Amino acid sequence: GQNIDQPTEMTATEGAIVQINCTYQTSGFNGLFWYQQHAGEAPTFLSYNVLDGLEEKGRFSSFLSRSKGYSYLLLKELQMKDSASYLCAVMDSNYQLIWGAGTKLIIKP
Amino acid sequence: DTEVTQTPKHLVMGMTNKKSLKCEQHMGHRAMYWYKQKAKKPPELMFVYSYEKLSINESVPSRFSPECPNSSLLNLHLHALQPEDSALYLCASSPTPLGGGETQYFGPGTRLLVL
């Protein structure tokens, strides 16, 4: 079966750094996406990894290890507006997105 | 124009009503998607349109009927819904259906309540 695991909830402090992990087992792999979703709003695209390594985009970075079926999203200099759910999604061999359940990130002052 | 728009933002309907959700994008994307999302759950794929043709139907009940009038528009017709169909309905688009690694861009969603 296809499975994507990520922590249900994480708490971090404003100004700090947090790493959200995602492990996956899917039928085929055509890339891994991270989306941010604020409560009641649509997911917004954050990053895409298809090759091993680190992709940096401002305060957000995403890492992929295909051999380990593992990715993480790193958020630096946390701001209160970063409080949201972070969804890991893998595109499988049929080019369909398989979604994780999401990690709710709570930022405290 | 880099956005997907959806109307209405909110919809309340009875179980005997007929209503439609609308989605529009002007990015030249040739794949469009309908997702359903319940609270605290990830989006669930319902339908995929590739080049205006229905390519994926994830065993969605017939009370949901999609329609793609042209490459920019996607509708979801609703009829005889059940209270458990209450959810956030998300439309998304991507440049090509089977391009591999194509990012899906989401609209703001329609929050549907079925009474």
Side-chain angles (χ1 to χ4, degrees):
Chain A
Q2 310 211 85
N3 194 51
I4 298 185
D5 287 316
Q6 48 181 133
T8 303
E9 187 174 297
M10 299 181 71
T11 302
T13 304
E14 190 176 15
I17 299 174
V18 71
Q19 178 175 311
I20 302 174
N21 295 326
C22 171
T23 58
Y24 63 89
Q25 289 177 308
T26 57
S27 56
F29 181 83
N30 280 300
L32 185 145
F33 296 80
W34 284 96
Y35 282 84
Q36 179 192 60
Q37 187 173 27
H38 287 96
E41 298 182 11
T44 55
F45 170 74
L46 289 179
S47 69
Y48 168 68
N49 294 71
V50 68
L51 299 176
D52 290 351
L54 188 69
E55 295 280 341
E56 297 186 80
K57 194 185 290 186
R59 293 190 298 114
F60 293 5
S61 303
S62 57
F63 172 84
L64 175 68
S65 169
R66 288 172 297 171
S67 62
K68 295 182 179 178
Y70 167 70
S71 172
Y72 67 73
L73 181 69
L74 190 72
L75 293 77
K76 303 177 185 176
E77 302 169 14
L78 286 170
Q79 302 174 10
M80 297 303 293
K81 67 178 181 179
D82 297 329
S83 293
S85 286
Y86 291 85
L87 297 159
C88 173
V90 172
M91 186 166 282
D92 69 7
S93 55
N94 294 318
Y95 298 99
Q96 289 196 50
L97 282 180
I98 310 301
W99 295 84
T103 298
K104 182 178 179 180
L105 178 63
I106 299 168
I107 310 296
K108 294 186 175 178
Chain B
D1 186 355
T2 58
E3 66 172 348
V4 178
T5 59
Q6 288 187 245
T7 55
K9 287 189 176 180
H10 301 274
L11 180 62
V12 180
M13 60 187 290
M15 289 189 284
T16 58
N17 292 158
K18 284 185 181 180
K19 297 286 185 182
S20 297
L21 309 185
K22 296 184 184 302
C23 174
E24 192 166 0
Q25 56 88 13
H26 294 287
M27 296 179 278
H29 290 179
R30 303 311 300 273
M32 296 186 78
Y33 311 78
W34 278 116
Y35 286 88
K36 172 183 176 181
Q37 187 176 26
K38 301 283 257 184
K40 300 182 181 180
K41 298 286 187 183
E44 297 174 43
L45 184 65
M46 299 174 73
F47 303 104
V48 181
Y49 271 81
S50 307
Y51 300 101
E52 297 95 68
K53 294 191 187 310
L54 182 64
S55 61
I56 295 175
N57 175 341
E58 292 286 350
S59 303
V60 179
S62 59
R63 56 186 185 268
F64 295 92
S65 175
E67 177 197 19
C68 190
N70 60 54
S71 61
S72 300
L73 293 174
L74 186 66
N75 298 322
L76 185 63
H77 302 299
L78 314 173
H79 174 54
L81 294 194
Q82 304 296 312
E84 60 264 29
D85 296 323
S86 299
L88 180 68
Y89 287 84
L90 295 164
C91 174
S93 71
S94 63
T96 52
L98 298 178
E102 298 284 1
T103 300
Q104 292 181 24
Y105 296 92
F106 286 83
T110 294
R111 186 158 297 283
L112 174 67
L113 177 62
V114 182
L115 301 176

